[in-house]
Amino acid sequence: MTAQRPSIALVIGLVVSGVLALIVLAVMLLSGGPLGFGLSALLAVAPLPVLLAAVLSLDRLEPEPKLSLAFAFVWGAGVAVVLGIALTLLGQALFSRAGYGAAVVNDVGTVLLAPVVEEALKGSALLLLLRRRREIDGLTDGIVYASMAGLGFAAVENIGYYLLAYGENGAGGAVQLFVLRGLIDPLGHPVYTSMIGLGVAYALTRRTAARYAAIPLGYLAAVFLHGLWNGAATTGSLAWLGAAYLVIMAALVLLIVVTVVERRQLVARMGVYLPGYRPTGLVTDADVRMLSTLSARKAARRWARRAGLGRAMSDYQQAATELTLLHLRAERQGMDPGRFAAERDAYLGMMAHARRW
């Protein structure tokens, strides 16, 4: 695809975030010992393959650049974790100096400061990607990048929580906490931050006058969900936890509905834009029918694999998808005609190279 070259700022951000994440993990190892750290790390990493696969499955039609996805994940695991801890502790110190007791300071840090600070830091990964706005073509892209930042943050944070539980109650305490954080509510952080992802993506892909208001609204939604869960957890009440869990699951269902609807709309738009390319010989009526429904695309890939053309069919479908997204960007946001023509011809060239049937 005609991907942008990795920017120096993106690479630097990835390296800095990675180093900070390694420093945090090293501190945890030294403080908790190899046995406790090993168990905690194993519990934190165990659900990650399934969670990552679930998030990336949302983006199958037009996969995002691996480096950008890695940046979002490592930003959450490094910069967001380190600054989140530092700023939350600083805020708690200010409340303590103001004369509040330890219990109040702890609750303020958990219910108020942590959601406000952590969501701002995780969401900043999306804002840093604004310069590469071509990578965010729809609401699904915002959800994917936000979820990656949330998963990175949760992975490192969970190691710390499991390590604390191990220190207090041994392996049993760590496993018990894992059931809550790793099995019952593994998507908490991705769901919270996806509200910001929705706001950023909406602002980038719409032309309404108030589109940028979606970013602070998404941030407020993320803080609300995060604070709701933390607040329910501090009460120790199963009823409050259950209610908070239902609200978060409702938000998750909303995110899934958004991705499904957007995916179907994108595939349907192929039937609008691609017929105009029949004169090139690269798109036939049969190709349009194949590209215009998810089931037909899947069936075409199965046929292509049996014919030894699996890679070619995947490349053709992705190039056609990118061409459709190019039209959508031009329609929604406007685009310089020369740039549009250059990108259009590049995608047509890819389709020509891949089409062997």
Side-chain angles (χ1 to χ4, degrees):
M1 298 303 102
T2 59
Q4 291 174 283
R5 293 180 59 185
S7 69
I8 295 177
L10 188 67
V11 174
I12 292 175
L14 184 62
V15 172
V16 170
S17 297
V19 170
L20 288 176
L22 290 175
I23 291 173
V24 171
L25 294 175
V27 171
M28 291 180 180
L29 173 61
L30 293 174
S31 62
L35 187 59
F37 177 82
L39 175 62
S40 300
L42 178 63
L43 293 174
V45 171
L48 263 184
V50 174
L51 298 176
L52 287 170
V55 170
L56 295 178
S57 70
L58 301 176
D59 201 34
R60 286 177 297 172
L61 277 182
E62 189 247 340
E64 297 305 305
K66 292 182 175 61
L67 187 64
S68 296
L69 292 171
F71 166 79
F73 183 89
V74 177
W75 179 271
V79 170
V81 167
V82 172
L83 291 182
I85 293 172
L87 293 176
T88 300
L89 290 176
L90 176 61
Q92 287 180 305
L94 293 176
F95 274 90
S96 182
R97 286 185 181 180
Y100 292 96
V104 173
V105 170
N106 184 64
D107 287 345
V108 167
T110 301
V111 181
L112 177 62
L113 295 178
V116 168
V117 170
E118 291 172 6
E119 294 310 319
L121 291 168
K122 288 183 292 174
S124 63
L126 276 295
L127 297 179
L128 291 170
L129 288 168
L130 284 177
R131 288 185 59 198
R132 302 174 66 79
R133 56 178 59 211
R134 280 180 53 199
E135 306 299 356
I136 300 180
D137 295 303
L139 302 180
T140 299
D141 292 346
I143 293 171
V144 169
Y145 281 119
S147 295
M148 292 298 289
L151 286 175
F153 186 94
V156 175
E157 183 185 57
N158 281 344
I159 294 176
Y161 277 119
Y162 298 152
L163 199 56
L164 288 174
Y166 178 86
E168 294 175 359
N169 300 300
V175 172
Q176 185 176 2
L177 185 59
F178 166 74
V179 172
L180 176 62
R181 297 183 67 89
L183 297 181
I184 296 177
D185 187 40
L187 288 171
H189 278 289
V191 170
Y192 310 150
T193 313
S194 287
M195 299 296 108
I196 303 174
L198 278 177
V200 171
Y202 184 88
L204 285 178
T205 58
R206 300 300 189 272
R207 303 183 73 176
T208 59
R211 65 188 184 276
Y212 286 106
I215 297 177
L217 288 175
Y219 171 68
L220 290 175
V223 171
F224 169 75
L225 291 175
H226 196 160
L228 179 66
W229 177 256
N230 284 8
T234 60
T235 66
S237 167
L238 289 177
W240 275 104
L241 273 175
Y245 187 76
L246 288 177
V247 173
I248 294 169
M249 288 303 101
L252 176 60
V253 170
L254 171 65
L255 295 173
I256 294 173
V257 169
V258 167
T259 59
V260 170
V261 170
E262 187 172 65
R263 181 185 299 174
R264 291 185 181 278
Q265 288 177 341
L266 171 59
V267 171
R269 295 298 286 178
M270 293 184 183
V272 175
Y273 295 124
L274 295 182
Y277 292 96
R278 288 192 189 101
T280 66
L282 299 175
V283 180
T284 65
D285 289 340
D287 291 327
V288 172
R289 288 193 298 271
M290 176 267 288
L291 291 165
S292 297
T293 67
L294 292 171
S295 58
R297 290 166 70 100
K298 187 175 181 180
R301 290 195 298 272
R302 283 200 302 268
W303 168 82
R305 284 194 293 269
R306 290 195 297 269
L309 299 171
R311 178 60 183 271
M313 178 60 75
S314 294
D315 288 346
Y316 179 84
Q317 288 186 352
Q318 188 170 350
T321 303
E322 296 279 5
L323 180 58
T324 302
L325 286 168
L326 176 65
H327 278 275
L328 281 173
R329 283 200 303 273
E331 182 181 289
R332 289 173 175 172
Q333 304 160 266
M335 184 175 291
D336 175 72
R339 178 181 167 189
F340 176 88
E343 293 190 30
R344 176 200 62 201
D345 293 345
Y347 291 131
L348 289 173
M350 294 172 191
M351 293 168 68
H353 179 75
R355 197 178 191 284
R356 304 173 194 169
W357 51 89

